Amino acid sequence: MNLAIEAWREKVMAFDRYMEDIRGEEQGPGHGRSVFASEPVDPYRTDDPALNGLYEVVGEGAEILDVGGGAGRFALPLATRAKRVTVIDPSAESLELLRTRVAEFGFTNLTAVEDRWEEAEVPSGDVALCSWALHHVVEAAPFVRKLEESVKDRVVILEMMATPVSQMAPFYERVHGKSLTPLPGVQDLLNLLWAMDIFPDVTMVRPEIPVLGTDLDSTLEKLRRMLAVEEGTDADERLRAAADELLEESGEGLTVRGASMRRQAIVTWRPTRGGSSNGVPN
């Protein structure tokens, strides 16, 4: 197997092993995403640099497959401009939140499919979008190939240099006594795609402060869910001590002291029939 593809697999599997240790095998891969997916978002917001970058790439009137789109952080605003948005996600919890928000805002062009992308059967679209989800996929190469096979125009992947769960690494060490292997980020993604003869365009998104929460109580609750910590336990005491040591106030909310700015990239390309791809723009 190609070294870049194998390195990707090892990172995801190592992270999943850590999570199984603290949560149990029944949780499965990708757990923790619902912690972020449950946060409410405004589909008409104008101050989201990643979303604004996606608008530039996707354009208006497209049929979009939002793979791993969860509760609709990007699917909802894209639906304000798209012809159709189909969210494919295995999380019943996230899709229930999505359907609630679809009803709340009155969207009629957004549908949800509860299934793993690898098994899902959905009509093709103009664009396949995968945001903040690929880094949880062990077998990323066939996942990406299916994205290519399902579109008429382009594949768009939104990924971070350091994934959101990296923020919990110092808390994990203090609570559970182990170092946490990071999930794959943008550099790993590019190595993976190059190994697949895919040569994409890459656009960096304006960096942001990596905020964990707006106040201490909500931040601790989020960290408890991510780290499988029950309130009032010895582990919770260690978590609170870590929060006192690590958290600091920023202009946007609570962040980890000394944390780097959150940097994201929009990675996009048009598949070609021969299986290789390129990022040549219009």
Side-chain angles (χ1 to χ4, degrees):
M1 179 178 289
N2 183 281
L3 291 178
I5 297 174
E6 181 62 24
W8 180 286
R9 291 182 74 253
E10 286 301 318
K11 277 194 171 185
V12 179
M13 291 174 66
F15 181 83
D16 285 346
R17 285 193 294 269
Y18 285 128
M19 293 298 102
E20 287 171 3
D21 285 345
I22 64 173
R23 290 172 172 264
E25 294 184 5
E26 72 278 359
Q27 294 293 329
H31 41 63
R33 288 182 54 217
S34 60
V35 175
F36 296 95
S38 63
E39 297 173 353
V41 291
D42 177 7
Y44 299 99
R45 63 190 184 276
T46 60
D47 58 349
D48 185 332
L51 175 60
N52 292 337
L54 291 177
Y55 285 150
E56 292 293 324
V57 173
V58 174
E60 297 190 21
E63 296 185 342
I64 302 171
L65 304 178
D66 188 354
V67 180
R73 182 178 186 88
F74 297 112
L76 289 166
L78 288 171
T80 66
R81 305 181 178 206
K83 179 179 180 181
R84 171 174 60 87
V85 179
T86 303
V87 175
I88 305 97
D89 197 287
S91 170
E93 177 187 2
S94 294
L95 293 186
E96 183 60 32
L97 288 167
L98 173 63
R99 294 184 181 102
T100 298
R101 291 167 183 170
V102 166
E104 177 185 352
F105 290 103
F107 290 114
T108 59
N109 63 336
L110 196 158
T111 57
V113 176
E114 185 183 333
D115 205 348
R116 297 177 70 247
W117 173 241
E118 295 87 340
E119 283 84 43
E121 296 183 5
V122 294
S124 63
D126 299 311
V127 175
L129 167 66
C130 185
S131 58
W132 304 351
L134 186 62
H135 54 248
H136 285 294
V137 177
V138 175
E139 301 297 343
F143 190 100
V144 169
R145 287 299 184 209
K146 185 173 181 180
L147 292 176
E148 290 191 311
E149 294 163 1
S150 302
V151 295
K152 305 167 189 174
D153 182 25
R154 66 171 66 232
V155 177
V156 180
I157 298 178
L158 176 66
E159 192 51 270
M160 298 184 181
M161 297 295 292
T163 57
V165 292
S166 65
Q167 298 175 57
M168 77 177 184
F171 297 95
Y172 185 94
E173 293 175 8
R174 285 161 175 77
V175 172
H176 297 293
K178 300 177 183 179
S179 297
L180 188 64
T181 298
L183 284 164
V186 172
Q187 183 172 339
D188 303 284
L189 173 60
L190 293 178
N191 288 338
L192 174 81
L193 295 179
W194 292 333
M196 298 172 65
D197 286 331
I198 297 172
F199 305 97
D201 287 332
V202 180
T203 301
M204 296 304 298
V205 176
R206 176 171 57 83
E208 301 175 286
I209 296 173
V211 174
L212 270 174
T214 56
D215 57 72
L216 181 59
D217 288 341
S218 65
T219 302
L220 284 172
E221 182 57 32
K222 180 185 292 185
L223 288 167
R224 289 187 187 106
R225 292 179 62 190
M226 295 172 71
L227 297 170
V229 170
E230 293 187 16
E231 190 171 3
T233 61
D234 290 344
D236 191 39
E237 295 243 352
R238 294 193 294 273
L239 176 59
R240 287 178 175 275
D244 289 341
E245 176 188 349
L246 296 172
L247 292 177
E248 66 179 6
E249 183 66 46
S250 72
E252 307 293 331
L254 288 175
T255 187
V256 178
R257 183 173 287 109
S260 301
M261 297 288 282
R262 184 173 70 180
R263 298 182 184 277
Q264 305 176 75
I266 297 172
V267 179
T268 181
W269 71 95
R270 288 190 172 92
T272 61
R273 289 185 179 181
S276 62
S277 309
N278 63 69
V280 178
N282 285 327

